[in-house]
Amino acid sequence: MDMLNRGKWPQLSSHAVLFLGVILVVFPLYVTLIASTQTSSDISRAPMSLLPGSEMINNYRHALFESDSGRATVSRMLWVSFVVAMGIAIGKIVLSLLAAFAVVFFKFRFRALCFGMIFVTLMLPVEVRISPTFAVVAGLGLTNSYAGLILPLTASATATFLFRQFFMTIPDELVEAAMVDGAGPMRFFFDILLPLSKTTIAALFVIQFTYGWNQYLWPLVMKTSESMTTIVIGISAMIGSNDGTADWGMVMAATILAMIPPCLVVIGMQKWFVKGLVDGDK
């Protein structure tokens, strides 16, 4: 009994710390949700009420289907952000899979150098190479288009590195067995490597979808019309518009709506995401 009692207080303290952490994370989200149901005057009043207001339907309807000062509706912004995030996530995974497959399973001169050059690009984020990248994209006539928003962000040295490390754990006997069975490179890739990589792909998809959804600088540079505004840029524009007299109820409603798609992706793929990150054979 003494042993059980000695272990009781550390367990309670750890649960208290976890509970405090949950409160710190959830409370701002709760305030945002409550603010999305109130008017701007109610939100500006100090202290703001922490009980739901009566403007929820109006705020969300206004945000989703109405536009002010020529600005795109939030529903349009959400669609643009979804297409961009899906394109970036899928593009990064496909390119990284093929690059890692080539580096690991194909023997060619300067293979290590090629992988090193890919890895060096980690030191060159979009912010550093934004001017030359924009010049190339503009020269191809891809400004203000989905292709222009997606293609420059599809290369990923991190994803290539992760797939390379996983492919290097594939036993040579499995590769030799596939060759004896008459499997060509692409059949080996689709029939063996892809099924083995599904948990890693799922984990990277969650990370890259969130990365694409939260992009700000590149979409801001690339768009030339309101129809190609992403939700992150749109919320920023709502806050900075109208000489500081933003409609905070609508802004908070748009913020809640902006959080839903990435949250659904994380929740829906949580099992695969965790497995892909912690699986012992990765």
Side-chain angles (χ1 to χ4, degrees), residues 207-243:
I207 295 171
Q208 301 301 343
F209 182 89
T210 306
Y211 165 82
W213 186 268
N214 292 327
Q215 278 298 305
Y216 179 82
L217 181 59
W218 182 249
L220 181 64
V221 172
M222 284 302 301
K223 80 175 187 72
T224 58
S225 69
E226 291 298 325
S227 62
M228 296 302 294
T229 301
T230 60
I231 187 63
V232 176
I233 296 175
I235 292 174
S236 177
M238 293 177 193
I239 295 174
S241 65
N242 300 325
D243 298 325

Side-chain angles (χ1 to χ4, degrees), residues 76-120:
R76 172 64 185 178
M77 298 177 193
L78 290 171
W79 173 249
V80 173
S81 292
F82 178 77
V83 173
V84 171
M86 286 293 293
I88 290 174
I90 295 173
K92 280 179 176 286
I93 290 173
V94 170
L95 286 180
S96 300
L97 276 169
L98 294 175
F101 177 56
V103 168
V104 174
F105 293 102
F106 287 85
K107 309 297 181 182
F108 55 91
R109 293 182 64 185
F110 308 117
R111 181 175 61 166
L113 177 62
C114 290
F115 175 72
M117 293 177 65
I118 293 173
F119 201 69
V120 164

Side-chain angles (χ1 to χ4, degrees), residues 73 90 97 128-129 165 232 266 280:
T73 61
I90 295 173
L97 276 169
V128 174
R129 50 188 169 87
Q165 295 305 108
V232 176
V266 172

Side-chain angles (χ1 to χ4, degrees), residues 137-153:
V137 173
L140 295 174
L142 298 179
T143 55
N144 204 50
S145 67
Y146 287 117
L149 290 170
I150 295 170
L151 291 180
L153 302 179

